[in-house]
Amino acid sequence: MQTPFHQRPMLIDGELCAGTGGEWLASVDPATEEPLGSVPAADGADVRRAVDAASRAQPAWNALAMAQRAEHLRSLGRALGERADQILDLEVRDTGNTITKMRRDVASAIRTLDYFAGLGLEIKGETVPASPGNLHLTLREPYGVVGRIVPFNHPLMFAASRIAAPLMAGNAIVVKPPESSPLSASVLAEICRDVFPPGVVNLVTGLGPVAGDALVRHPAVKRIAFIGSVQTGLAIQRAAAETGVKHVTLELGGKNPMLVGPDVDPAEAAAAAVAGMNFAWQGQSCGSTSRVLVPESMYDEVLERIVAAVDALRLGDPRDPASEMGPMNSRAQLDKVVRYVAVGREDGAQLVAGGARPAQFERGFWHQPTVFAGVDMTMRIAREEVFGPVLCVLRYRDVDEAVAAANATRYGLTAAILTRDLDLALYWARRVQAGYVWVNGQSGHFAGTPFGGVKDSGTGREENLGELLSYTETKTLHLFAREPAWP
């Protein structure tokens, strides 16, 4: 039974509240287009209230011992665990992601909170022997107020887990949840109200060009982190640069390659290609390996197996554990996929699976999992991120042609390499332009290993100690030795 349509508040200065303008942003179930609820459509005044609250709360928060900050993070994790079933139900209906995969999101957020809670004592400075007899050292200090903008594909997981590093570093934070699939932010707001001192964590919902832009431009917010599209990342960089000198990190999109070695079993290659596309999230994952590069000698067999596996995927109610793919997140995402399927066909790519709306669904933002063959790197479908269930299969003649094709985009987030040949694995791994590379695997993230991209896929790294340190600034201190004054 669905929760009735109702209004869900945001969190500013320890209070669950509506926006000052009284406007609301509706969210619908992408599987049925039925209304689920609404959140405040915050404006600049709301953002300023949140930043002011964070600015007031930050000094006292920074004055806490590391162990006290860590206990707050672990308390947040415990509270998330207690409400995991409620969050899961809401997230699945609000995002369209399948329930089996989404079960991991709350657990992942809890693990991340616990991981960073244990890293606080690693915020260390250095001593530098810069001159004899004197003491030269560095300290790490928080920025003050951090702004974080999170995406729609894992809204609760990103919102909860990505506050861990800024808070452990001694910052207060203002989070802008996604405008599509924003409802879990209200649950997180309720939990954070009870776990943290007022103003330490603020969650401000609303539209990106309004609330997000106001957060990025606020002069008191010098540290900003964003997960999302390249287009929005560029807009954030421009807005930040127009209002101050700011530290901006961006985890952006990808057109990620999977390079299949000639020694790989075709069945193994096809299974990896389908798994790496993340169809359980409708391909709406920045790390999805949406280009599969296959040797010419085995291309036809691998393609045939990929098509068979994709055609066999079960589309259905994302709340049903048997469903392997749900609807697109929003009408805008569906329209984007439809446009790119048309572009692929116009450019001469061969549509070999999917490519249309599933006939069994009359309503909702549904699209078939789709495969294009005969793709080359002159085609837009091979160079531009779709962020949907569209997989391109390309052929190559030698290992250098494969890596050249892999690198022939503006992106450089992830790459996957399949081969039992260690020499080939190392050859490709050193040459592929990506920030995160899997060999004989795909899609997994591992705590402590830095995740992020090169080229237009972003700046900065997350999920490791470096993320924690990135929320601090370095202060250098020189202590000059003097002769002791004896009485």
Side-chain angles (χ1 to χ4, degrees):
M1 181 176 180
Q2 291 188 350
T3 303
F5 187 85
H6 63 284
Q7 296 173 334
R8 299 169 180 268
M10 58 186 178
L11 176 67
I12 297 178
D13 202 12
E15 298 291 333
L16 299 175
C17 60
T20 55
E23 299 295 322
W24 293 82
L25 185 65
S27 188
V28 301
D29 184 333
T32 64
E33 300 182 58
E34 294 296 323
L36 288 175
S38 61
V39 296
D43 59 19
D46 297 309
V47 171
R48 288 190 292 274
R49 284 198 298 134
V51 174
D52 289 347
S55 298
R56 290 192 301 269
Q58 189 271 332
W61 174 255
N62 186 46
L64 293 180
M66 286 295 180
Q68 292 174 296
R69 293 183 213 165
E71 183 51 35
H72 279 86
L73 263 62
R74 293 192 174 105
S75 295
L76 173 58
R78 289 191 292 269
L80 288 171
E82 291 167 1
R83 300 181 67 171
D85 289 342
Q86 176 196 7
I87 293 168
L88 176 65
D89 176 68
L90 184 59
E91 287 271 75
V92 168
R93 288 188 291 122
D94 202 22
T95 64
N97 296 335
T98 56
I99 192 168
T100 302
K101 294 293 187 181
M102 288 296 283
R103 289 187 193 280
R104 304 175 184 175
D105 275 24
V106 172
S108 176
I110 294 171
R111 285 194 303 270
T112 302
L113 289 163
D114 188 62
Y115 170 71
F116 281 105
L119 282 184
L121 296 181
E122 296 303 312
I123 304 178
K124 301 173 181 176
E126 299 175 315
T127 57
V128 182
S131 67
N134 301 315
L135 183 61
H136 308 273
L137 55 89
T138 62
L139 309 173
R140 288 191 173 271
E141 298 181 341
Y143 278 93
V145 180
V146 168
R148 282 232 55 147
I149 303 175
V150 297
F152 65 76
N153 53 348
H154 300 278
L156 185 283
M157 184 193 75
F158 281 128
S161 67
R162 294 310 193 265
I163 69 175
L167 292 178
M168 276 308 296
N171 301 281
I173 191 164
V174 179
V175 179
K176 211 292 281 183
E179 56 205 63
S180 173
S181 306
L183 300 182
S184 62
S186 65
V187 180
L188 184 60
E190 293 171 5
I191 295 172
C192 288
R193 175 198 58 180
D194 297 334
V195 168
F196 294 100
V200 172
V201 177
N202 305 270
L203 291 104
V204 181
T205 54
L207 297 174
V210 181
D213 185 69
L215 179 59
V216 169
R217 291 178 181 275
H218 197 290
V221 181
K222 189 176 178 181
R223 177 70 172 93
I224 300 158
F226 169 73
I227 301 173
S229 70
V230 172
Q231 180 182 9
T232 305
L234 291 171
I236 287 172
Q237 285 185 318
R238 286 192 294 269
E242 288 173 357
T243 55
V245 178
K246 305 194 178 196
H247 179 184
V248 179
T249 54
L250 307 168
E251 196 260 90
L252 306 178
K255 192 69 177 178
N256 309 298
M258 175 177 285
L259 295 87
V260 178
D263 61 321
V264 178
D265 179 82
E268 178 185 350
V274 175
M277 191 57 227
N278 295 319
F279 285 110
W281 290 280
Q282 300 73 251
Q284 296 168 137
S285 176
C286 56
S288 294
T289 45
S290 55
R291 293 183 295 144
V292 181
L293 299 156
V294 183
E296 195 167 39
S297 61
M298 54 194 289
Y299 181 87
D300 291 340
E301 184 176 359
V302 172
L303 176 63
E304 181 180 0
R305 289 177 179 273
I306 289 174
V307 170
V310 168
D311 283 341
L313 290 173
R314 178 175 174 176
L315 277 67
D317 185 342
R319 294 171 294 178
D320 183 351
S323 296
E324 295 175 295
M325 181 172 150
M328 302 301 300
N329 182 266
S330 65
R331 172 68 65 186
Q333 286 302 116
L334 174 61
D335 291 346
K336 182 180 179 184
V337 171
V338 171
R339 288 197 303 272
Y340 269 105
V341 170
V343 166
R345 300 181 76 169
E346 291 167 4
D347 284 352
Q350 180 185 1
L351 182 66
V352 292
R357 181 185 183 87
Q360 67 267 39
F361 301 106
E362 294 182 2
R363 300 195 67 191
F365 310 132
W366 297 89
H367 196 281
Q368 294 172 327
T370 298
V371 180
F372 277 106
V375 179
D376 64 58
M377 292 308 301
T378 66
M379 300 177 181
R380 287 180 59 193
I381 199 74
R383 293 183 284 106
E384 299 178 12
E385 184 183 39
V386 178
F387 212 66
V390 179
L391 180 63
C392 296
V393 187
L394 297 82
R395 67 179 78 226
Y396 71 85
R397 289 165 295 185
D398 59 60
V399 295
D400 289 322
E401 183 182 24
V403 78
N407 293 337
T409 73
R410 67 188 297 189
Y411 303 101
L413 186 57
T414 73
I417 294 168
L418 303 181
T419 180
R420 303 294 181 186
D421 184 336
L422 180 59
D423 291 333
L424 178 58
L426 291 174
Y427 185 85
W428 272 343
R430 293 297 297 271
R431 286 164 177 77
V432 70
Q433 294 169 353
Y436 208 78
V437 180
W438 300 283
V439 176
N440 295 324
Q442 65 282 321
S443 300
H445 289 231
F446 301 91
T449 64
F451 184 84
V454 300
K455 300 198 287 188
D456 278 358
S457 285
T459 60
R461 296 295 182 268
E462 297 187 335
E463 304 176 12
N464 70 324
L465 176 60
E467 179 183 352
L468 177 65
L469 299 181
S470 78
Y471 288 100
T472 66
E473 295 184 287
T474 299
K475 174 183 287 184
T476 301
L477 181 60
H478 303 284
L479 301 178
F480 294 96
R482 306 172 105 183
E483 291 293 327
W486 297 100

